Amino acid sequence: MIPPVLSSLIQVFIFPGFIFILSYAMFCEWVSRKFVARLQNRVGPLYTGWEGILQPLADSIKLLAKEDITPKAADKFVFALMPVAVFALPLTAIFLIPIQSLTNLWGYSPIVSFEGDLIIVLFLLSVIILSIFLAGWSSANRFGIIGATRAALQMLAYEIPLGIAMIGPAIFARSLSIGKIVEWQAQSMHNFLSAPNLMAIPVALLLAVGFIICTVCLLAELELRPFDSPEAETEIVHGWQVEYSGKKLGLLRLGHDVKLVLASALLTSLFLGGPIGPWPIPPVVWFLLKTAVCVLILSNASALFARLRIDQMLGGSWRYLAPLSILYIMAVQIIAGLM
Amino acid sequence: MGKREFTIHVGPQHPALKEPENFVFKVDGEYVVDVEPRIGYNHRGIEKAMENRTYIQNLYIVERVCGICSNSHQTCYTQNVEELLGMEIPERAKYIRVLLAELERIHSHLLWLGVAAHEIGFDTLFYYIWRDREVVMDMLEEISGNRVNYAMPTIGGVRRDIAADKIPKYLKMLDVLEERTKFYKNICATEKTVLARADGVGFLSKEDAIRLNAVGPNLRASGVASDIRADSPYLVYDEIPWNVISYDSGDVFANVLVRVDETFESVNICRYCLEHLPDGPIRTIFSPLGKVPEGEAVSLVEAPRGELIHYIQSRGTDKPYRYKIRAPTLGNIPALCEKLRGGYIADIPIVLAGIDPCFSCTDRMVFVDEDRDKRWEMNGEQLRRYGVEWYK
């Protein structure tokens, strides 16, 4: 039997903690890059490892070795701190998401879980954008400042729909804990299979709407097209990241990958039933499969559109996304009340 | 400058500009208040170099003014020299020159469409268009032997002939191009995010377009149906049936439509040339040591980017005494600044790219002292010393 301390350490640092999440994040970057490349009729990464699977790792190592420049005018402390924050915050949020239990092959539980951890995840998502804003602002570069302002403006637009969309499943599950939401999904799936019930149809439809709203908002959170104006390469030269180089840029890139995993893990846990699946396959495999599908959905969307201007993004979000999400939450309330 | 305004420099190094050029923007939040262009980062002294080389050598120098519209420059140059020589080139050579010019226009317009898609962040469209542009590149390679600098027109005709048995293959390639361009026109006209970024962006009124001397597709997008090929036909453009394309909305979207429709026109012109290619020789001989009689000449060509003007002055030797090139981008810069004012920062790249700028063709070096109203030029050594002093 593994002593509890050791088991906790393994959970945090090896599985399903740091090492597992980081390698999965790099894998997701590769999947996303390869998939977008194929959509665009390119080959994508090819040379490092099998079909370029090690390319994200190679990029990170390369960036670690590069010269690290801090601009003279930058606020040095904040400038150095923010890449760490952008990297650490999404990693922290993933700890709240159930992946796999260490002791039981068929069990799953988050590393940390308590009533209200969904709110913490939402809070962390906002703090990530705040760190992005500070990162751009502290670099004292004009393009950086424009990018930072755009990131903050964008947050004003998508944060409320995102919060509302995520609260939907929580209302059905009558719990603000991600773990319990997953359990509710497992339970209701079980109930539905044993005794089919017409009430399941509106619930499933509403969850699908929530999934769509959530996906759109997460595209903006991840700064993927069509919402990549904070780092618009051709306009403002990579926006808030423009002054970052070397180790710091490496951390930012890794942070972006982890954010991609966090986004797909959230979609998976809240709408797709998390790590649950038919019996012979362990939860972690289901989790990986479902998150990979979410990564594909996100990168597919990012290859399909042109970049929207920031004012178009704000207008569209307040005109369509926010009212839609309010209608959605009203419907959720009514259906949940009827159940 | 007001409290809320600050300046941003786009260029000389910026991902939206493929060539070094500097634009200083005064911005207020996301709005552009004013713009000041500064050209001259890529001056190569081509005109001076031409004055030191023989007419045949100059063929290859003038071709390197531009990487994309190289054929237009060469055509313009050869027309100048032929006018001074009083030389009439064979019909077949004229048709081949037109064919080359139109193929170049197709390749340039498709390239532009791809770049425009890239500037608004639609990379998928960019990759697709550039993939299909390879068809016309292959065609140019097969006809001339080169993908970029074709070296086809020469003084007195063209350098290589078109084999009769290859013509059906070329016609098939043109069909592919036409079909793919139709597909892209459809995408640009229906995809919502593209329309959001192009419709009504970078407006230039008809009056401003004329007043500010806009040229080429940029002018035709503002509703002025002016095209050198129709206004003062050279080669055989008056024998070939084709239409001048113009749209009157004056924005980036009109620029897209003008270029796409011109691609269709060019495909039709190429078809006509291939089907009606007259027989006969492809050139009259001009000796590499040949001298050109005294005189001066101006020649106009409609390059893919607009009106191209070349001026030549000869003193009866084997080298031109003075050569002057006005590339279309220079004519478009004042109009470009007008388009940029009052827009968004996010629209800078697409509006900049909207005129299809080619700055290295444009750059020139004259020193002007505004206070004393004096102009002068410097030689290489003086320029070097000036640079050393400036950056000390």
Side-chain angles (χ1 to χ4, degrees), chain A residues 16 25 46 53 59 96 182 237 256 282 311:
Chain A
L46 202 58
I53 196 166
D59 287 350
L96 300 171
V182 171
V237 210
H256 187 268
D311 59 307

Side-chain angles (χ1 to χ4, degrees), chain B residues 193-377:
Chain B
T193 43
V194 173
L195 281 177
R197 292 304 303 276
D199 204 10
V201 169
F203 175 72
L204 183 70
S205 70
K206 190 173 179 178
E207 293 72 34
D208 280 344
I210 295 170
R211 181 173 61 86
L212 295 170
N213 187 27
V215 293
N218 198 21
L219 176 67
R220 294 193 282 279
S222 290
V224 187
S226 160
D227 192 314
I228 301 299
R229 290 174 291 168
D231 297 346
S232 72
Y234 52 98
L235 299 174
V236 283
Y237 279 110
D238 45 355
E239 292 173 19
I240 300 172
W242 65 282
N243 303 312
V244 179
I245 305 291
S246 74
Y247 281 84
D248 49 10
S249 57
D251 52 7
V252 171
F253 190 54
N255 264 291
V256 172
L257 290 177
V258 164
R259 286 194 171 85
V260 170
D261 285 354
E262 267 180 21
T263 310
F264 293 136
E265 287 297 323
S266 295
V267 168
N268 285 337
I269 296 177
C270 289
R271 270 202 199 111
Y272 185 93
C273 287
L274 285 172
E275 281 160 4
H276 298 79
L277 204 58
D279 292 331
I282 55 166
R283 64 170 171 264
T284 45
I285 299 300
F286 174 77
S287 151
L289 300 168
K291 290 182 178 167
V292 171
E294 214 171 304
E296 52 185 356
V298 172
S299 142
L300 304 178
V301 159
E302 181 75 22
R305 295 181 167 81
E307 179 186 31
L308 173 68
I309 307 174
H310 279 210
Y311 165 81
I312 189 171
Q313 191 178 355
S314 162
R315 294 258 167 116
T317 60
D318 57 349
K319 292 168 188 161
Y321 179 72
R322 177 79 179 95
Y323 205 82
K324 172 82 196 142
I325 299 168
R326 206 238 32 199
T329 304
L330 188 71
N332 270 331
I333 285 180
L336 170 66
C337 295
E338 180 64 31
K339 280 178 162 212
L340 285 165
R341 273 183 207 113
Y344 291 93
I345 292 179
D347 290 334
I348 289 175
I350 180 66
V351 176
L352 264 179
I355 68 159
D356 200 359
C358 185
F359 293 116
S360 64
C361 319
T362 293
D363 274 353
R364 53 214 58 246
M365 200 88 196
V366 174
F367 296 87
V368 182
D369 189 334
E370 282 180 0
D371 300 336
R372 278 173 284 170
D373 195 22
K374 207 176 116 193
R375 291 163 66 102
W376 70 97
E377 284 175 13

Side-chain angles (χ1 to χ4, degrees), chain A residues 3-324:
Chain A
V5 179
L6 190 60
S7 136
S8 305
L9 281 178
I10 291 176
Q11 267 196 337
V12 169
F13 287 105
I14 299 172
F15 181 84
F18 284 121
I19 291 180
F20 171 72
I21 291 172
L22 283 184
S23 16
Y24 186 53
M26 286 182 182
F27 174 74
C28 280
E29 188 197 330
W30 174 77
V31 168
S32 162
R33 276 169 74 172
K34 201 77 184 169
F35 184 60
V36 171
R38 291 314 298 153
L39 284 179
Q40 295 179 338
N41 219 320
R42 297 182 284 126
V43 286
L46 202 58
Y47 292 105
T48 333
W50 176 77
E51 293 284 310
I53 196 166
L54 293 177
Q55 191 63 45
L57 182 66
D59 287 350
S60 301
I61 293 171
K62 181 201 76 175
L63 281 172
L64 288 182
K66 288 264 176 186
E67 189 186 1
D68 189 357
I69 301 166
T70 306
K72 243 184 200 172
D75 182 336
K76 295 193 182 49
F77 179 68
V78 182
F79 188 76
L81 186 65
M82 282 313 137
V84 181
V86 170
F87 170 69
L89 291 170
L91 203 57
T92 317
I94 291 186
F95 283 4
L96 300 171
I97 288 171
I99 298 176
Q100 165 83 35
S101 155
L102 204 58
T103 43
N104 175 6
L105 186 57
W106 313 115
Y108 53 87
S109 69
I111 299 173
V112 196
S113 175
F114 48 87
E115 189 57 41
D117 52 13
L118 184 61
I119 304 285
I120 296 285
V121 169
L122 277 172
F123 167 74
L124 287 174
L125 283 177
S126 311
V127 177
I128 292 170
I129 301 294
L130 200 69
S131 352
I132 284 177
F133 176 77
L134 282 176
W137 193 266
S138 66
S139 67
N141 179 300
R142 283 159 196 218
F143 294 117
I145 289 172
I146 294 173
T149 327
R150 283 184 181 180
L153 274 173
Q154 226 169 237
M155 182 180 84
L156 295 181
Y158 71 77
E159 177 136 82
I160 289 169
L162 178 66
I164 293 179
M166 284 190 180
I167 294 300
I171 290 177
F172 281 130
R174 295 172 208 274
S175 165
L176 277 172
S177 150
I178 299 175
K180 290 213 178 114
I181 294 174
V182 171
E183 271 164 33
W184 166 76
Q185 294 178 64
Q187 192 60 44
S188 29
M189 198 60 183
H190 182 74
N191 289 350
F192 180 74
L193 288 180
S194 52
N197 179 354
L198 273 184
M199 273 311 270
I201 296 169
V203 174
L205 281 178
L206 277 174
L207 285 182
V209 173
F211 181 79
I212 292 168
I213 298 176
C214 217
T215 310
V216 174
C217 295
L218 286 171
L219 277 175
E221 166 81 38
L222 290 167
E223 294 174 1
L224 292 175
R225 269 174 206 135
F227 309 119
D228 66 335
S229 59
E231 54 180 59
E233 170 95 33
T234 45
E235 294 162 18
I236 49 172
V237 210
H238 247 281
W240 57 273
Q241 301 177 14
V242 62
E243 287 293 352
Y244 282 97
S245 52
K247 295 188 272 294
K248 299 195 184 91
L249 185 63
L251 268 184
L252 286 179
R253 284 175 49 95
L254 216 52
H256 187 268
D257 294 348
V258 177
K259 233 163 71 174
L260 185 63
V261 173
L262 171 64
S264 23
L266 272 175
L267 284 174
T268 310
S269 327
L270 294 178
F271 300 101
L272 302 180
I276 309 164
W279 177 70
I281 303 169
V284 64
V285 177
W286 278 112
F287 175 82
L288 294 184
L289 279 177
K290 288 177 182 177
T291 43
V293 168
C294 290
V295 168
L296 291 185
I297 291 175
L298 291 168
S299 25
N300 184 31
S302 73
L304 272 185
F305 299 109
R307 180 190 309 124
L308 286 173
R309 233 164 34 211
I310 186 77
D311 59 307
Q312 290 166 342
M313 191 271 165
L314 285 173
S317 170
W318 281 110
R319 228 173 281 150
Y320 306 110
L321 211 53
L324 180 67

